[in-house]
Amino acid sequence: MAAFPPPQLRLHIRQPLRDLFRHCERNCEAGCCGADAFDQDPVLVREWLVDYGGETGTVLGQFESLLDEISRHRGSVVANVYDGCFGETWQTPHDCLTYFAGWRLIIAVAVRGMNEPTFFDPRWLTETVVALRNAIVAEKAFDRLPILADALEEAGCDNREILDHLRANDDHGHHCWVLDLLSVG
């Protein structure tokens, strides 16, 4: 009996993330040039975030969902940014994850630069916070995120977006933008 390859995953990138990609497309006008057509400059991303109104939680949440969807797939992946195709097909989910995780990190860097120190203050990276963050990532122990929120609060963090996100009972899957942000810091 012949084995069939896994079906292709077609990612449908929704607003506002779709608008971010359109804003960063610099090398192609038709949406057909693939991943290389996009400029991943954090300044360009920050410009779009400011124009969008600074609601970074929505965009970062979309990235978490996108990365989770890709990580659960076994076949090739195509991203649909426009009505047609993104212009890029990744043969493995790992290749696609690597590409979009890079974008996720660029956005975290842009956010940090946009609001520093209000959004992220390096003083929050106490020994306790760093140890908790690293243990949560290494052990995929997302149930400890509320404990990390408490440690951040004790370190002086008063950012409601960060603290509320860590205390939410959301399924964080394999990715959490706050953990990414703490690693950037």
Side-chain angles (χ1 to χ4, degrees), residues 14 60-70 72 175:
R14 299 171 291 137
L60 297 172
Q62 282 185 310
F63 260 102
E64 287 180 39
S65 297
L66 185 69
L67 293 171
D68 186 54
E69 181 180 8
I70 296 165
R72 290 181 281 133
H175 307 280

Side-chain angles (χ1 to χ4, degrees), residues 99-120:
Y99 178 75
F100 283 111
W103 269 101
R104 177 70 186 75
L105 186 59
I106 297 291
I107 290 173
V109 168
V111 167
R112 179 175 162 221
M114 191 169 80
N115 297 316
E116 195 172 9
T118 304
F119 187 82
F120 177 83

Side-chain angles (χ1 to χ4, degrees), residues 20-109:
L20 171 60
F21 283 121
R22 285 181 176 164
H23 180 78
C24 293
E25 185 176 28
R26 294 292 186 231
N27 304 316
C28 175
E29 296 297 321
C32 60
C33 294
D36 294 335
F38 297 90
D39 187 345
Q40 293 182 319
D41 181 353
V43 173
L44 189 61
V45 172
R46 186 178 314 123
E47 171 187 288
W48 180 84
L49 288 169
V50 168
D51 289 345
Y52 178 68
E55 292 186 41
T56 57
T58 302
V59 174
L60 297 172
Q62 282 185 310
F63 260 102
E64 287 180 39
S65 297
L66 185 69
L67 293 171
D68 186 54
E69 181 180 8
I70 296 165
S71 70
R72 290 181 281 133
H73 189 68
R74 298 191 192 284
S76 62
V77 182
V78 173
N80 183 355
V81 173
Y82 298 96
D83 293 333
C85 189
F86 186 74
E88 193 73 38
T89 299
W90 294 271
Q91 294 306 311
T92 68
H94 179 266
D95 295 339
C96 186
L97 275 171
T98 300
Y99 178 75
F100 283 111
W103 269 101
R104 177 70 186 75
L105 186 59
I106 297 291
I107 290 173
V109 168

